[in-house]
Every structure is written in C-alpha cells, then in structure tokens.
C-alpha cells in the first residue's frame, strides 16, 4: 500500500506572494539606507548555512556524526559535485545569502538564484554590488516562479548539478492555492525539482515545518517518477544538534539530500 501524504499545513500569510513582496520591499529600502543591513538569513539561529557548506565540502569529516541508524542513513559526499564546475540553482533565494556563502567558500561555477518576488532579486543584486568582493558580482539572480516559470529559460540543457531550497518548500506549503489538478500547490513541487535536476544531480532541502520522515514522503514517495523514468532518492542528511522530549529525539530543522536517479 502506498504511503499516505503528510497532512497539509494550515494556510498562512507566509504562503502568499504579497507577504514576501512587502518583506523584501522593506528590506531593500533598509539596505539602500544602510548597506551593512542585508536582511533576513533564514535558519540563521540553527547555523544552517555553515552546516550546508560543510556538508557540501569535498573535505568534510563525518567522524563526529552520531545520528547514523536505520532511520538516518549515512552521509556520503553528494557524488561528483566539484566546486570549480558544479552548476547550482537556489530556489527562493531571498537576499542571496546562501549563494554568496557558497561563492565565498570556493564554489566558482554557475550560481543562479531565483525568486518570484522581484523585490527579493533587487535586494540580492544590490547586496552583491555593495560587497567588497568582485566574485560575488558573478552570482546571477533572476525573477522566476518555481511552480510556473518556463524551465528552459533558466536551466542548462542537461539540468542543474545541485538545486537548493532553504525554506521555500515551507513557504509553498503554507499557500492555500491549488493547481490544475486540484492539489495544494506544494504537491507538485517535487515534480518541478525533478525537471530542473540533471540525472545524478542532487536536491538539498531545508525545512522547519516538515520532519525528515515527512520530507522523505513528499519527495521520495509522493513525487512520482517522471517521463524520463527518474525519481528522487534520499542520499544523505545534514546533522544539527538534537533534543529529546518525552523520550523522542528530534531537531528543530531538517536538511535532506536527494539524488535524481533512474527508476530500477
């Protein structure tokens, strides 16, 4: 029997474009007045960006990980990602913070951030210009809607090596909108990710609204294989400090890595 999908989240204003347009308009105005103020870095309290960079590093060390068990598979390096050549797409890039961190960390390939809010893209471009780092000016930003945008307009012919999502699936999951099939729009998110990735490419998603089990259900189980006969398969996870409550161990946020693989 197929595993049932997680219960949908209650819709929120955080799932509306109007909310994000207003937020980034304010942050852009603030940044224009004081370039040192660059806006919100999502999941900064969990040090998510540093942990994502560490996970992606070819030189990372997993020897301190204590979370490898039947429910938490080991963390192999994400295949053949090479900092000098990997093409990276950030979905819902916000102020561009994650891509700037990757560039600073030596990822010198094609980096593109997309967001459906034009004010977000204006903010990211403004930050790149204000930073004293010429390399950041080569990070590209475009207005593009992950669920409705034309994929060939932003994707390499063979697809992206790495697609990032730091909170965007969370926001989409808070929308009350439905698609042409009558589904809540987050249900089609994995299908779009599959179209964006090259075969063998990886998808790294960070969430505070969904548990690891729920993320695996959304992307590994509920996202059906596409016409290319490919699907998403979990390939690893990022470790965060855990807590125990009522005998249950958990994390405040989750970051999972999925690979686009050919259906066996």
């Amino acid at each position: 029997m197929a595993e049932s999908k997680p219960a949908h989240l209650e819709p929120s204003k955080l799932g509306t474009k109007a909310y994000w347009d207003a937020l980034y308009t304010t942050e852009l105005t603030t940044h224009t007045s004081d370039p040192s103020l660059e806006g919100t870095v999502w999941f900064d309290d969990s040090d998510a960006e540093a942990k994502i960079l560490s996970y992606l590093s070819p030189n990372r060390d997993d020897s301190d990980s204590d979370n490898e068990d039947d429910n938490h598979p080991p963390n192999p390096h994400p295949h053949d990602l090479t900092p000098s050549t990997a093409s990276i797409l950030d979905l819902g890039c916000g102020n561009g913070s994650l891509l700037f961190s990757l560039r600073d960390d030596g990822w010198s390939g094609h980096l593109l951030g997309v967001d459906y809010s034009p004010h977000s893209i204006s903010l990211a471009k403004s930050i790149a210009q204000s930073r004293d780092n010429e390399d950041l000016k080569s990070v590209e930003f475009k207005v593009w809607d992950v669920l409705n945008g034309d994929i060939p307009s932003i994707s390499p012919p063979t697809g992206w090596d790495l697609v990032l999502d730091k909170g965007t699936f969370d926001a989409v999951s808070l929308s009350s909108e439905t698609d042409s099939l009558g589904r809540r729009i987050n249900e089609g998110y994995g299908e779009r990710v599959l179209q964006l990735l090259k075969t063998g490419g990886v998808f790294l998603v960070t969430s505070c609204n969904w548990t690891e089990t729920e993320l695996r259900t959304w992307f590994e189980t509920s996202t059906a294989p596409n016409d290319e006969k490919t699907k998403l398969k979990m390939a690893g996870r990022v470790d965060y400090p855990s807590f125990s409550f009522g005998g249950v161990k958990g994390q405040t946020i989750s970051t999972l890595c999925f690979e686009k693989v050919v259906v066996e």
Side-chain angles (χ1 to χ4, degrees), residues 120-132:
S120 155
I121 298 304
S122 295
L123 174 61
K125 289 180 176 179
S126 179
I127 291 171
Q129 292 300 316
S130 68
R131 294 266 195 102
D132 188 22

Side-chain angles (χ1 to χ4, degrees), residues 21-34:
D21 280 341
L23 174 72
Y24 289 119
T25 295
T26 299
E27 293 194 344
L28 178 59
T29 300
T30 301
H31 175 69
T32 301
S33 300
D34 183 351

Side-chain angles (χ1 to χ4, degrees), residues 70-255:
D70 290 341
N71 294 318
H72 297 142
N75 295 334
H77 181 263
H79 309 285
D80 59 352
L81 292 179
T82 302
S84 61
T85 60
S87 59
I88 303 175
L89 173 68
D90 187 13
L91 300 176
C93 62
N95 63 0
S97 176
L98 181 54
L99 291 181
F100 294 144
S101 294
L102 284 164
R103 187 65 97 213
D104 282 338
D105 205 42
W107 292 81
S108 54
H110 181 198
L111 271 58
L112 171 65
V114 296
D115 202 293
Y116 70 171
S117 171
H119 310 286
S120 155
I121 298 304
S122 295
L123 174 61
K125 289 180 176 179
S126 179
I127 291 171
Q129 292 300 316
S130 68
R131 294 266 195 102
D132 188 22
N133 183 340
E134 287 299 315
D135 288 339
L136 298 188
K137 295 177 175 59
S138 65
V139 179
E140 190 179 4
F141 295 99
K142 289 184 178 180
V143 178
W144 191 78
D145 185 342
V146 60
L147 293 174
N148 300 299
D150 177 55
I151 288 179
S153 69
I154 60 100
S155 188
T158 59
W160 294 90
D161 293 307
L162 171 63
V163 172
L164 300 168
D165 176 322
K166 186 159 67 71
T168 299
F169 182 63
D170 280 355
V172 172
S173 298
L174 291 169
S175 173
S176 62
E177 293 182 46
T178 56
D179 64 16
S180 60
L181 300 176
R183 307 174 300 178
R184 287 274 292 270
I185 57 173
N186 67 307
E187 294 194 39
Y189 195 89
E191 297 164 11
R192 295 285 285 184
V193 170
L194 267 179
Q195 294 178 67
L196 289 163
L197 281 171
K198 74 173 189 180
T199 301
V202 292
F203 173 50
L204 202 63
V205 56
T206 302
S207 171
C208 65
N209 287 338
W210 300 108
T211 65
E212 289 191 3
T213 299
E214 289 170 332
L215 287 173
R216 291 191 70 172
T217 301
W218 280 124
F219 293 110
E220 192 173 43
T221 306
S222 297
T223 297
N226 61 11
D227 292 340
E228 300 174 329
K229 303 302 181 185
T230 59
K231 66 177 183 177
L232 294 170
K233 180 179 180 181
M234 185 170 166
R237 65 192 295 276
V238 173
D239 291 326
Y240 294 95
S242 59
F243 65 90
S244 295
F245 182 78
V248 177
K249 189 175 182 180
Q251 300 176 165
T252 55
I253 67 171
S254 297
T255 300

